[in-house]
Amino acid sequence: MRNFILFMKMLLCLVLLFIIPSILKAQNITYIDLVQAKSEKINSEKIFKDFELVPLETHEDALLNIKTATYYLTDKYIIAVSFLKGAYIFDRKTGKFIREVSSFGQGPNEYTGWIYNRYGFDERYNILYASDGANIGGVWKCINIETNKIESTIKKPLPKDESEFFSAYAPWRIKDNTYVSFCNNRTGKDRIKLVVFNKDGKVFNKFMNHLEYKKEISYSNPSNNGIFYYYKELTYFKEWNYNDTVFCVTENDLSPHIIFKLGYNKASEYHQDNAEYNRSKYFIT
């Protein structure tokens, strides 16, 4: 009997050893309830304590498409990137045009593809990523905005399993020589959500995709980078539009960090090719 009680105590300790970390991890999740959210017009003063207007210099060497341009900010610069066009640097305080970032071409510090205009800037290392060569395969060029030179290249990862498909877009550095990319679900049934790899394209880890959608438009081809950002030395990620969860990403783990409660307002991933179906739904972007 004594041995049985001792065994049960040891078993309980082992169970708690695995359960308690899971409970503590769950307690770190932030929930944002938007089920009862209301839409109303309010003055900007109620949202922003202060704001700064910086008009960018109009320059013949920096012609931007305002509708598609994305603006990245650093302490020194405003980097403006147009969709499938060039990237340009302006002074953060005055808006004065400084120069183009790299340029399109086949020179040693040029690129033949495009600079990512969404979530393609690593503010920690001052790197803009440019796709070079084929979308599947090929490389990413890492452009240092300070030196205006290609600092390094990263091989795009390729799957070994024929049933998998890596539609990997802009890389995001998790740590030295370790990157993660979001894989767009191009067929509606692609199995991989995120792929972790090094500069040589060697895959360390894969996080599975569990969401499918009905392919209603044969020529549609999702091409979103995924939303990555740094916070307190960690990397966080959210899918574009349809997912309601922000994840913390490490080389070995993908864990929920923020969950938006949307209720009946949640957009349907399955019907993402049907604009009418999701017309009145909420999108967290």
Side-chain angles (χ1 to χ4, degrees), residues 148-171:
N148 210 30
K149 294 182 178 181
I150 306 297
E151 188 173 273
S152 59
T153 59
I154 304 170
K155 288 186 178 180
K156 297 180 180 180
L158 295 172
K160 294 182 179 180
D161 188 335
E162 294 182 357
S163 67
E164 296 176 350
F165 184 78
F166 295 167
S167 178
Y169 275 65

mmCIF file of all heavy atoms in Angstrom, residues 148-171:
data_model
loop_
_atom_site.group_PDB
_atom_site.id
_atom_site.type_symbol
_atom_site.label_atom_id
_atom_site.label_comp_id
_atom_site.label_asym_id
_atom_site.label_seq_id
_atom_site.Cartn_x
_atom_site.Cartn_y
_atom_site.Cartn_z
ATOM 1 N N ASN A 148 23.780 51.090 -48.404
ATOM 2 C CA ASN A 148 23.183 50.946 -49.733
ATOM 3 C C ASN A 148 23.838 49.817 -50.528
ATOM 4 O O ASN A 148 23.926 49.879 -51.762
ATOM 5 C CB ASN A 148 23.263 52.253 -50.526
ATOM 6 C CG ASN A 148 22.107 52.381 -51.506
ATOM 7 O OD1 ASN A 148 21.016 51.866 -51.277
ATOM 8 N ND2 ASN A 148 22.336 53.061 -52.623
ATOM 9 N N LYS A 149 24.264 48.791 -49.818
ATOM 10 C CA LYS A 149 24.886 47.637 -50.464
ATOM 11 C C LYS A 149 24.175 46.346 -50.070
ATOM 12 O O LYS A 149 23.497 46.287 -49.048
ATOM 13 C CB LYS A 149 26.367 47.553 -50.077
ATOM 14 C CG LYS A 149 27.212 48.701 -50.610
ATOM 15 C CD LYS A 149 28.677 48.531 -50.239
ATOM 16 C CE LYS A 149 29.512 49.663 -50.831
ATOM 17 N NZ LYS A 149 30.964 49.514 -50.496
ATOM 18 N N ILE A 150 24.331 45.326 -50.933
ATOM 19 C CA ILE A 150 23.792 44.011 -50.615
ATOM 20 C C ILE A 150 24.676 43.399 -49.541
ATOM 21 O O ILE A 150 25.839 43.063 -49.784
ATOM 22 C CB ILE A 150 23.766 43.097 -51.857
ATOM 23 C CG1 ILE A 150 23.015 43.763 -53.014
ATOM 24 C CG2 ILE A 150 23.152 41.744 -51.499
ATOM 25 C CD1 ILE A 150 21.567 44.043 -52.751
ATOM 26 N N GLU A 151 24.135 43.260 -48.341
ATOM 27 C CA GLU A 151 24.925 42.764 -47.214
ATOM 28 C C GLU A 151 25.114 41.262 -47.279
ATOM 29 O O GLU A 151 26.156 40.722 -46.906
ATOM 30 C CB GLU A 151 24.230 43.156 -45.909
ATOM 31 C CG GLU A 151 25.029 42.883 -44.668
ATOM 32 C CD GLU A 151 24.361 43.449 -43.432
ATOM 33 O OE1 GLU A 151 24.606 44.634 -43.119
ATOM 34 O OE2 GLU A 151 23.581 42.718 -42.795
ATOM 35 N N SER A 152 24.079 40.556 -47.753
ATOM 36 C CA SER A 152 24.139 39.097 -47.854
ATOM 37 C C SER A 152 22.976 38.612 -48.703
ATOM 38 O O SER A 152 22.106 39.395 -49.095
ATOM 39 C CB SER A 152 24.084 38.449 -46.459
ATOM 40 O OG SER A 152 22.873 38.816 -45.793
ATOM 41 N N THR A 153 22.961 37.334 -49.004
ATOM 42 C CA THR A 153 21.844 36.726 -49.716
ATOM 43 C C THR A 153 21.342 35.522 -48.923
ATOM 44 O O THR A 153 22.093 34.909 -48.160
ATOM 45 C CB THR A 153 22.246 36.271 -51.131
ATOM 46 O OG1 THR A 153 23.326 35.323 -51.037
ATOM 47 C CG2 THR A 153 22.671 37.451 -51.984
ATOM 48 N N ILE A 154 20.061 35.228 -49.095
ATOM 49 C CA ILE A 154 19.433 34.096 -48.414
ATOM 50 C C ILE A 154 18.766 33.225 -49.475
ATOM 51 O O ILE A 154 17.974 33.722 -50.280
ATOM 52 C CB ILE A 154 18.367 34.566 -47.411
ATOM 53 C CG1 ILE A 154 18.971 35.544 -46.400
ATOM 54 C CG2 ILE A 154 17.749 33.374 -46.689
ATOM 55 C CD1 ILE A 154 17.920 36.221 -45.532
ATOM 56 N N LYS A 155 19.086 31.951 -49.485
ATOM 57 C CA LYS A 155 18.438 31.036 -50.426
ATOM 58 C C LYS A 155 17.008 30.755 -49.969
ATOM 59 O O LYS A 155 16.763 30.518 -48.782
ATOM 60 C CB LYS A 155 19.219 29.729 -50.516
ATOM 61 C CG LYS A 155 20.540 29.835 -51.247
ATOM 62 C CD LYS A 155 21.178 28.453 -51.403
ATOM 63 C CE LYS A 155 22.483 28.547 -52.176
ATOM 64 N NZ LYS A 155 23.119 27.219 -52.333
ATOM 65 N N LYS A 156 16.085 30.800 -50.906
ATOM 66 C CA LYS A 156 14.698 30.476 -50.563
ATOM 67 C C LYS A 156 14.580 28.974 -50.305
ATOM 68 O O LYS A 156 15.090 28.167 -51.080
ATOM 69 C CB LYS A 156 13.766 30.906 -51.693
ATOM 70 C CG LYS A 156 13.765 32.416 -51.932
ATOM 71 C CD LYS A 156 12.827 32.810 -53.057
ATOM 72 C CE LYS A 156 12.859 34.321 -53.275
ATOM 73 N NZ LYS A 156 11.960 34.756 -54.367
ATOM 74 N N PRO A 157 13.927 28.597 -49.211
ATOM 75 C CA PRO A 157 13.838 27.171 -48.861
ATOM 76 C C PRO A 157 12.943 26.411 -49.830
ATOM 77 O O PRO A 157 11.954 26.947 -50.343
ATOM 78 C CB PRO A 157 13.230 27.198 -47.458
ATOM 79 C CG PRO A 157 12.423 28.464 -47.426
ATOM 80 C CD PRO A 157 13.194 29.455 -48.260
ATOM 81 N N LEU A 158 13.295 25.167 -50.076
ATOM 82 C CA LEU A 158 12.512 24.286 -50.941
ATOM 83 C C LEU A 158 12.156 23.021 -50.169
ATOM 84 O O LEU A 158 12.969 22.504 -49.399
ATOM 85 C CB LEU A 158 13.298 23.924 -52.204
ATOM 86 C CG LEU A 158 13.614 25.075 -53.163
ATOM 87 C CD1 LEU A 158 14.557 24.596 -54.256
ATOM 88 C CD2 LEU A 158 12.340 25.642 -53.761
ATOM 89 N N PRO A 159 10.941 22.494 -50.351
ATOM 90 C CA PRO A 159 10.536 21.291 -49.627
ATOM 91 C C PRO A 159 11.163 20.034 -50.219
ATOM 92 O O PRO A 159 11.415 19.958 -51.416
ATOM 93 C CB PRO A 159 9.013 21.280 -49.802
ATOM 94 C CG PRO A 159 8.791 21.975 -51.114
ATOM 95 C CD PRO A 159 9.857 23.028 -51.203
ATOM 96 N N LYS A 160 11.409 19.060 -49.350
ATOM 97 C CA LYS A 160 11.867 17.750 -49.815
ATOM 98 C C LYS A 160 10.686 16.826 -50.071
ATOM 99 O O LYS A 160 10.769 15.909 -50.880
ATOM 100 C CB LYS A 160 12.813 17.133 -48.774
ATOM 101 C CG LYS A 160 14.124 17.893 -48.607
ATOM 102 C CD LYS A 160 15.023 17.201 -47.605
ATOM 103 C CE LYS A 160 16.351 17.952 -47.466
ATOM 104 N NZ LYS A 160 17.257 17.288 -46.479
ATOM 105 N N ASP A 161 9.598 17.077 -49.359
ATOM 106 C CA ASP A 161 8.381 16.280 -49.504
ATOM 107 C C ASP A 161 7.577 16.799 -50.700
ATOM 108 O O ASP A 161 7.215 17.973 -50.750
ATOM 109 C CB ASP A 161 7.549 16.378 -48.228
ATOM 110 C CG ASP A 161 6.364 15.413 -48.221
ATOM 111 O OD1 ASP A 161 5.906 15.026 -49.306
ATOM 112 O OD2 ASP A 161 5.908 15.067 -47.120
ATOM 113 N N GLU A 162 7.300 15.950 -51.679
ATOM 114 C CA GLU A 162 6.576 16.367 -52.880
ATOM 115 C C GLU A 162 5.150 16.808 -52.584
ATOM 116 O O GLU A 162 4.537 17.509 -53.391
ATOM 117 C CB GLU A 162 6.562 15.231 -53.905
ATOM 118 C CG GLU A 162 7.946 14.895 -54.466
ATOM 119 C CD GLU A 162 7.877 13.809 -55.517
ATOM 120 O OE1 GLU A 162 6.759 13.288 -55.756
ATOM 121 O OE2 GLU A 162 8.933 13.464 -56.091
ATOM 122 N N SER A 163 4.607 16.415 -51.439
ATOM 123 C CA SER A 163 3.231 16.796 -51.100
ATOM 124 C C SER A 163 3.165 18.186 -50.481
ATOM 125 O O SER A 163 2.080 18.713 -50.250
ATOM 126 C CB SER A 163 2.620 15.779 -50.129
ATOM 127 O OG SER A 163 3.278 15.824 -48.872
ATOM 128 N N GLU A 164 4.332 18.796 -50.208
ATOM 129 C CA GLU A 164 4.375 20.123 -49.598
ATOM 130 C C GLU A 164 4.758 21.168 -50.628
ATOM 131 O O GLU A 164 5.360 20.871 -51.657
ATOM 132 C CB GLU A 164 5.370 20.137 -48.430
ATOM 133 C CG GLU A 164 4.977 19.221 -47.289
ATOM 134 C CD GLU A 164 6.014 19.187 -46.191
ATOM 135 O OE1 GLU A 164 7.115 19.718 -46.398
ATOM 136 O OE2 GLU A 164 5.720 18.623 -45.125
ATOM 137 N N PHE A 165 4.409 22.415 -50.299
ATOM 138 C CA PHE A 165 4.686 23.521 -51.221
ATOM 139 C C PHE A 165 5.013 24.759 -50.409
ATOM 140 O O PHE A 165 4.236 25.164 -49.561
ATOM 141 C CB PHE A 165 3.460 23.767 -52.113
ATOM 142 C CG PHE A 165 3.680 24.811 -53.158
ATOM 143 C CD1 PHE A 165 4.382 24.519 -54.313
ATOM 144 C CD2 PHE A 165 3.197 26.101 -52.998
ATOM 145 C CE1 PHE A 165 4.593 25.479 -55.286
ATOM 146 C CE2 PHE A 165 3.404 27.077 -53.958
ATOM 147 C CZ PHE A 165 4.105 26.755 -55.111
ATOM 148 N N PHE A 166 6.192 25.354 -50.643
ATOM 149 C CA PHE A 166 6.602 26.552 -49.914
ATOM 150 C C PHE A 166 6.410 27.784 -50.795
ATOM 151 O O PHE A 166 7.267 28.108 -51.610
ATOM 152 C CB PHE A 166 8.070 26.491 -49.503
ATOM 153 C CG PHE A 166 8.415 25.407 -48.519
ATOM 154 C CD1 PHE A 166 9.737 25.068 -48.276
ATOM 155 C CD2 PHE A 166 7.424 24.726 -47.826
ATOM 156 C CE1 PHE A 166 10.071 24.078 -47.372
ATOM 157 C CE2 PHE A 166 7.741 23.724 -46.924
ATOM 158 C CZ PHE A 166 9.068 23.394 -46.700
ATOM 159 N N SER A 167 5.279 28.451 -50.654
ATOM 160 C CA SER A 167 5.099 29.738 -51.324
ATOM 161 C C SER A 167 5.584 30.804 -50.355
ATOM 162 O O SER A 167 4.822 31.612 -49.847
ATOM 163 C CB SER A 167 3.624 29.949 -51.683
ATOM 164 O OG SER A 167 3.446 31.205 -52.291
ATOM 165 N N ALA A 168 6.901 30.784 -50.088
ATOM 166 C CA ALA A 168 7.486 31.603 -49.025
ATOM 167 C C ALA A 168 7.768 33.018 -49.514
ATOM 168 O O ALA A 168 8.406 33.206 -50.547
ATOM 169 C CB ALA A 168 8.766 30.955 -48.520
ATOM 170 N N TYR A 169 7.288 33.993 -48.734
ATOM 171 C CA TYR A 169 7.539 35.389 -49.067
ATOM 172 C C TYR A 169 8.610 35.952 -48.142
ATOM 173 O O TYR A 169 9.400 35.197 -47.594
ATOM 174 C CB TYR A 169 6.233 36.178 -49.036
ATOM 175 C CG TYR A 169 5.513 36.045 -50.365
ATOM 176 C CD1 TYR A 169 5.024 34.815 -50.786
ATOM 177 C CD2 TYR A 169 5.368 37.125 -51.221
ATOM 178 C CE1 TYR A 169 4.407 34.673 -52.012
ATOM 179 C CE2 TYR A 169 4.746 36.986 -52.460
ATOM 180 C CZ TYR A 169 4.271 35.762 -52.844
ATOM 181 O OH TYR A 169 3.667 35.621 -54.064
ATOM 182 N N ALA A 170 8.691 37.269 -47.975
ATOM 183 C CA ALA A 170 9.838 37.916 -47.328
ATOM 184 C C ALA A 170 10.271 37.209 -46.042
ATOM 185 O O ALA A 170 9.435 36.860 -45.212
ATOM 186 C CB ALA A 170 9.514 39.380 -47.038
ATOM 187 N N PRO A 171 11.579 37.007 -45.857
ATOM 188 C CA PRO A 171 12.079 36.371 -44.632
ATOM 189 C C PRO A 171 12.045 37.331 -43.457
ATOM 190 O O PRO A 171 12.025 38.549 -43.631
ATOM 191 C CB PRO A 171 13.524 36.000 -45.004
ATOM 192 C CG PRO A 171 13.928 37.070 -45.971
ATOM 193 C CD PRO A 171 12.679 37.387 -46.766
#
